[in-house]
Amino acid sequence: MSSVDAVVVGAGPNGLAAAVTLARAGLRVELFEAADTVGGGTRTAELTLPGFRHDVCSAVHPMAPPSPFFRAFELERRVELVTPEISYAHPLEGRPAGIAYRDLDRTAERLGRDGAAWRNLFAPVAAHPDRIGRFTAAPLLRIPANPVTVARFGMRVLEQASPAWSLRFRDDTAPAMLTGVAAHSIGRLPGIAPAGVAMTLAGHAHAHGWPIPIGGSQAIADAMADDLLAHGGSITTGTRIADLRDLPAAKATVLDVSARALLELGGHSLPPGYRRALSRFRFGDAVAKVDYALSEPVPWTDPDLHAAPTFHIGGTRAQIARSEREVAAGRHPSRPYVLGSQPTIVDSSRAPAGRHVVWAYTHVPRGSTLDPTQIVTAEIERHAPGFRDTILASASRSAAQFAEYNPNYVGGDISAGAVTLAQLLRRPVLSPVPWRTPIPGVYLGSSSTPPATGVHGMSGYQAALYALRDRFGLEAPQLGVED
Ligand SMILES: Cc1cc2nc3c(=O)[nH]c(=O)nc-3n(C[C@H](O)[C@H](O)[C@H](O)COP(=O)(O)OP(=O)(O)OC[C@H]3O[C@@H](n4cnc5c(N)ncnc54)[C@H](O)[C@@H]3O)c2cc1C
């Protein structure tokens, strides 16, 4: 007789969400993780100097508040999340930065003659963040529960994906701000997937805001691991699973691994059609990152940047589109897009008194071994002269090193699969229940499944809910804090 009911492989936010859901349903759950600590893309560590704590991967959490999993789990009662007034900023040379305040009207006011266009673009999305959250958390194949809101959202996505994407704006700032968010998807611009990402994330910026966890993203992983242990689950770290046949016998297995790893772990039991579909699944371009320990805050030229925990650098819409095209063509752009976070302006626990940390990454071709320190530092310096002089230490990770750090980041693709329209429909296969694999009892719950990348726990949660229903005849358990 098996000593466990369910096994989970991989302790990223999706694996942890699956394990918590299964354990809360009363099952005996064992979780295996390749690394020495839990967290996957939600780890925080001293990467530079003692006392400076850096988010190794995710840092900012726009996907957490609207996530049905985190809602049920009552994340905000377990982790202190700071929601800044400024969701993101976009410094521009020779003129004021674009600032996306959580307050839509304030954002519009600052945009001057493009204010009304920005307000019209986001008002319907920001008014119904939960409907948009539910829609983007489900496979695109499903009929939406709120067709009117979704249709409005869809029209805006189509507009921002078309060559006429700047038609509603008269100045450069608003399009640059939108493009800074669209570029999170890593790929050619404009396009449907980046436009969807832009409308979703920028919509959340004006609805729930873009929260930062006190203590770093590790706090989110730890909250889930604690809940799992409190409900009888066990966690084995330092164990990379190479074959499904090495796992303890269990009625259900949820894999927080990439679509490619599913092929490696279970290829022997998968039918040829499914194997072919997995082998056609494409991985995208990559990120390379720098973490800085600073003696003082970043000396931004634009004073409004001092209050912006998240910033996008890369110039105008056309300049960002050009640098993303370069990456897609396999080249390192000379003026790259940089996504950054300065969490110590809202969380002083990350560094010794008066000191700061900055987290910043840029896009590079998949598999790149480029150390991004020089190019990222130069881009920040462009908008913050003197930045170099504030650096006490830095640590970098190339795309190739990200792939070594976490097997889900194939070639340094942090989304476990390219974020394209085709792969939002077919993630990793075209199915209304893409979390179910053809192997009875085996479910895929990583960001190689909907709703793709980000810290939301929804891929693992959905996989666990299907496992509970199919294998145990159980419905969704209560996940909230037990008083
Ligand atoms: C630099 C960077 C910045 C990011 N910034 C953000 C951000 O600010 N906000 C945001 O929302 N998202 C961000 N992301 C993306 C986010 O981290 C991921 O989308 C998220 O972590 C995916 O969760 P997951 O559980 O699917 O996989 P992961 O978090 O990748 O976890 C997978 C886990 O499974 C383990 N594993 C894999 N294969 C095996 C195996 N065979 N055996 C045992 N264990 C295995 C891995 O070691 C890993 O711990 C960022 C990612 C990176 C790399």
Side-chain angles (χ1 to χ4, degrees):
M1 214 183 84
S2 168
S3 60
V4 290
D5 300 306
V7 169
V8 177
V9 177
N14 282 314
L16 287 163
V20 161
T21 306
L22 295 164
R24 281 299 198 95
L27 304 184
R28 290 160 302 169
V29 179
E30 185 154 10
L31 170 61
F32 293 95
E33 165 56 45
D36 292 335
T37 58
V38 298
T42 45
R43 295 195 185 99
T44 307
E46 282 182 350
L47 298 176
T48 54
L49 298 172
F52 289 82
R53 293 189 52 77
H54 305 271
D55 282 323
V56 183
C57 302
S58 64
V60 185
H61 294 282
M63 311 284 280
S67 156
F69 168 74
F70 280 134
R71 289 264 172 113
F73 186 64
E74 298 185 300
L75 183 69
E76 74 294 346
R77 290 184 63 192
R78 302 169 190 258
V79 174
E80 198 182 336
L81 296 169
V82 182
T83 305
E85 264 182 58
I86 294 179
S87 295
Y88 58 94
H90 192 115
L92 288 160
E93 282 175 273
R95 67 199 122 135
I99 305 280
Y101 295 98
R102 191 172 165 196
D103 184 331
L104 179 57
D105 290 332
R106 194 171 167 197
T107 309
E109 226 165 86
R110 186 177 165 112
L111 284 171
R113 56 187 195 151
D114 276 339
W118 187 273
R119 195 185 285 104
N120 290 340
L121 188 62
F122 285 108
V125 179
H128 300 292
D130 299 343
R131 293 181 190 173
I132 300 299
R134 274 197 300 276
F135 170 65
T136 52
L140 287 186
L141 274 185
R142 294 204 181 162
I143 295 166
N146 296 283
V148 175
T149 309
V150 169
R152 284 187 172 154
F153 175 75
M155 294 298 291
R156 285 159 170 76
V157 169
L158 288 177
E159 174 197 303
Q160 285 306 308
S162 78
W165 60 336
S166 293
L167 218 55
R168 71 164 60 225
F169 298 116
R170 286 188 278 178
D171 295 327
D172 275 351
T173 304
M177 286 166 68
L178 256 175
T179 316
V181 185
H184 283 223
S185 64
I186 314 181
R188 284 179 197 276
L189 299 163
I192 295 217
V197 167
M199 286 308 303
T200 304
L201 295 183
H204 291 326
H206 298 303
H208 301 291
W210 285 14
I212 309 266
I214 297 291
S217 294
Q218 186 75 50
I220 297 177
D222 289 349
M224 290 192 274
D226 289 350
D227 195 79
L228 171 63
L229 295 174
H231 291 87
S234 69
I235 300 176
T236 306
T237 54
T239 304
R240 182 161 175 176
I241 306 300
D243 191 311
L244 289 184
R245 290 171 293 197
D246 298 339
L247 290 170
K251 272 179 91 172
T253 299
V254 177
L255 302 173
D256 183 8
V257 307
S258 74
R260 178 175 295 177
L262 169 59
L263 198 55
E264 289 157 10
L265 266 66
H268 45 78
S269 308
L270 292 166
Y274 191 86
R275 276 209 309 265
R276 265 197 307 279
L278 290 186
S279 57
R280 278 198 299 263
F281 189 72
R282 283 199 317 104
F283 291 84
D285 284 310
V287 310
K289 173 167 175 273
V290 193
D291 287 286
Y292 300 94
L294 303 183
S295 59
E296 56 192 83
V298 179
W300 297 107
T301 305
D302 187 321
D304 290 327
L305 260 291
H306 290 293
T310 304
F311 56 88
H312 302 133
I313 294 177
T316 62
R317 169 162 264 183
Q319 286 167 332
I320 298 175
R322 195 175 314 126
S323 66
E324 290 295 286
R325 255 199 316 275
E326 288 277 297
V327 174
R331 295 187 288 270
H332 293 96
S334 53
R335 291 282 309 274
Y337 166 79
V338 171
L339 199 167
S341 167
Q342 37 182 8
T344 28
I345 66 174
V346 292
D347 177 8
S348 59
S349 77
R350 310 273 191 106
R355 308 299 203 202
H356 286 265
V357 295
V358 161
W359 161 117
Y361 70 71
T362 187
H363 295 163
V364 291
R366 67 200 73 164
S368 161
T369 54
L370 177 88
D371 178 341
T373 309
Q374 280 198 16
I375 51 168
V376 170
T377 306
E379 288 309 308
I380 299 177
E381 179 84 24
R382 192 184 295 283
H383 299 281
F387 171 64
R388 271 198 188 87
D389 304 332
T390 70
I391 301 172
L392 299 170
S394 69
S396 67
R397 202 167 254 145
S398 69
Q401 288 166 329
F402 266 115
E404 273 167 39
Y405 172 74
N406 181 341
N408 287 26
Y409 302 151
V410 177
D413 168 6
I414 65 172
S415 303
V419 180
T420 59
L421 176 62
Q423 291 208 159
L424 289 177
L425 287 163
R426 183 165 45 74
R427 197 163 186 93
V429 292
L430 192 66
S431 161
V433 188
W435 306 280
R436 237 184 231 140
T437 79
I439 309 174
V442 175
Y443 299 81
L444 184 62
S446 70
S447 39
S448 289
T449 66
T453 189
V455 176
H456 41 62
M458 283 305 293
S459 310
Y461 183 50
Q462 296 276 25
L465 291 182
Y466 280 102
L468 285 175
R469 212 168 300 159
D470 297 349
R471 306 293 290 174
F472 303 93
L474 295 171
E475 290 304 318
Q478 293 294 321
L479 299 175
V481 176
E482 289 155 326
D483 293 310

